[in-house]
Amino acid sequence: MLKWPRAILLAMGVVLSTSTFAADMRIGFVDTERILREASPAVRAAKKIEREFDPRKSDLQKISAQGKALQQLLDKGTLAEADRRIKERELIKMNQDFQRMQREFNEDMNTRRNEELSGLQERVNSAIAQIATSEKYDLILQEVAWRSPRIDITDKVLKLLMDK
């Protein structure tokens, strides 16, 4: 009869009981990035933010076009020295204003996006909890290094969010 050291037998028991436990566990995965791209509420929120920020985006594009036109005028070299200095100062001021407006635009847009996404995240978590409860999942993960497609329940979550 072969004698096994006690530590190995204990380790084997842990592995066996862990694998038995894991076999009884029901695990699911939700692709959060996909939800944020494809969920109806996320698409609506993105369009809403886009409409909200379109006027400011247009203003930035106009200022950018004016700056380019002014730069082209300066590049031609047809201006008198005094006019050239005035236009250069004007271009510097326009560039500073443009950069400030662009920075504020990006900050405001990110703030709005985060506001909308926080509301969406609550709805996503609620949908996940509803699926977990009704289908008796033990664990649902959102961020993992790798997952098998057979545990992906993202489509179910998208479907639940579509109804809301």
Side-chain angles (χ1 to χ4, degrees), residues 40-101:
S40 300
V43 172
R44 283 192 304 271
K47 288 179 182 176
K48 178 181 175 183
I49 291 170
E50 190 175 314
R51 281 191 310 273
E52 187 177 320
F53 283 87
D54 266 349
R56 287 175 64 184
K57 186 176 180 180
S58 292
D59 290 344
L60 284 169
Q61 290 170 340
K62 286 176 191 173
I63 293 171
S64 176
Q66 290 171 353
K68 287 177 185 174
L70 188 54
Q71 182 65 55
Q72 288 173 348
L73 178 66
L74 288 167
D75 289 345
K76 285 182 183 176
T78 56
L79 295 174
E81 188 60 31
D83 290 339
R84 180 174 183 73
R85 280 188 300 233
I86 291 170
K87 295 293 184 191
E88 284 174 345
R89 282 191 296 258
E90 189 180 320
L91 181 61
I92 289 169
K93 174 83 168 94
M94 189 180 293
N95 188 34
Q96 289 171 341
D97 290 344
F98 176 78
Q99 288 181 7
R100 178 187 46 78
M101 289 172 68

Side-chain angles (χ1 to χ4, degrees), residues 79-145:
L79 295 174
E81 188 60 31
D83 290 339
R84 180 174 183 73
R85 280 188 300 233
I86 291 170
K87 295 293 184 191
E88 284 174 345
R89 282 191 296 258
E90 189 180 320
L91 181 61
I92 289 169
K93 174 83 168 94
M94 189 180 293
N95 188 34
Q96 289 171 341
D97 290 344
F98 176 78
Q99 288 181 7
R100 178 187 46 78
M101 289 172 68
Q102 191 171 38
R103 189 174 45 253
E104 289 172 358
F105 173 84
N106 289 334
E107 288 171 1
D108 292 348
M109 192 163 166
N110 284 336
T111 300
R112 278 294 289 125
R113 186 177 295 124
N114 289 339
E115 289 170 1
E116 291 290 332
L117 290 180
S118 69
L120 176 62
Q121 188 62 46
E122 290 174 21
R123 293 172 69 184
V124 169
N125 289 339
S126 175
I128 291 170
Q130 185 178 343
I131 291 168
T133 303
S134 68
E135 297 185 21
K136 297 181 179 24
Y137 278 91
D138 297 301
L139 177 67
I140 296 182
L141 304 168
Q142 289 184 323
E143 301 293 327
V144 295

